[in-house]
């Protein structure tokens, strides 16, 4: 990865790249949460490349991929926001409503089967 991360989340994009989202870099301190994202291309030309950053910094949040989109919800410091990365558009879009409660989904994970 281009940026060291702790408490980040990962998922496989529809084109087979592995995306790593958010987290924090220990040398910056535990409160320096990140919104940056990057993707690993696997194959003959393995390399990390940046994706557009999320609107909100997130650490220990829930994320999942479905239908060419990455959904990121909650996280550090009781974050209530949610956003979706549209792989076709290559950008993050805020979801119209926050979580209805204040737990932030800190430390949660998600999967679609």
């Amino acid at each position: 990865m281009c940026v060291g991360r702790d408490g980040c989340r990962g998922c496989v994009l529809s084109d087979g790249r592995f995306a790593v989202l958010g987290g924090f870099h220990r040398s910056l301190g535990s409160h320096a949460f990140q919104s940056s994202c990057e993707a690993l291309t696997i194959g003959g030309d393995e390399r990390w490349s940046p994706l557009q950053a999320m609107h909100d910094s997130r650490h220990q949040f829930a994320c999942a991929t479905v239908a060419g989109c990455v959904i990121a919800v909650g996280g550090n410091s009781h974050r209530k926001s949610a956003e979706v990365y549209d792989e076709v558009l290559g950008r993050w879009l805020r979801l119209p409503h926050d979580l209805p409660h204040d737990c932030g989904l800190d430390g949660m994970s998600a999967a679609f089967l």
Side-chain angles (χ1 to χ4, degrees):
M1 288 183 286
C2 300
V3 177
R5 300 168 188 271
D6 187 10
C8 58
R9 295 295 182 251
C11 58
V12 177
L13 302 174
S14 62
D15 63 4
R17 292 180 298 159
F18 181 71
V20 177
L21 319 170
F24 70 85
H25 191 281
R26 285 206 181 269
S27 69
L28 299 175
S30 64
H31 296 291
F33 300 117
Q34 298 184 54
S35 61
S36 63
C37 305
E38 49 191 322
L40 174 62
T41 301
I42 300 171
D45 185 22
E46 294 178 355
R47 69 186 183 291
W48 287 98
S49 56
L51 297 173
Q52 183 186 32
M54 295 180 285
H55 292 284
D56 296 319
S57 59
R58 296 182 189 278
H59 169 258
Q60 296 184 348
F61 56 98
C63 85
T65 56
V66 61
C69 294
V70 178
I71 302 165
V73 181
N76 54 286
S77 303
H78 303 286
R79 185 165 302 285
K80 294 172 60 174
S81 65
E83 51 192 307
V84 61
Y85 180 75
D86 186 311
E87 292 183 51
V88 173
L89 297 176
R91 65 185 182 129
W92 287 93
L93 306 165
R94 288 189 185 276
L95 293 179
H97 300 285
D98 286 345
L99 295 172
H101 45 79
D102 196 14
C103 79
L105 297 182
D106 189 22
M108 297 294 289
S109 294
F112 285 105
L113 301 176

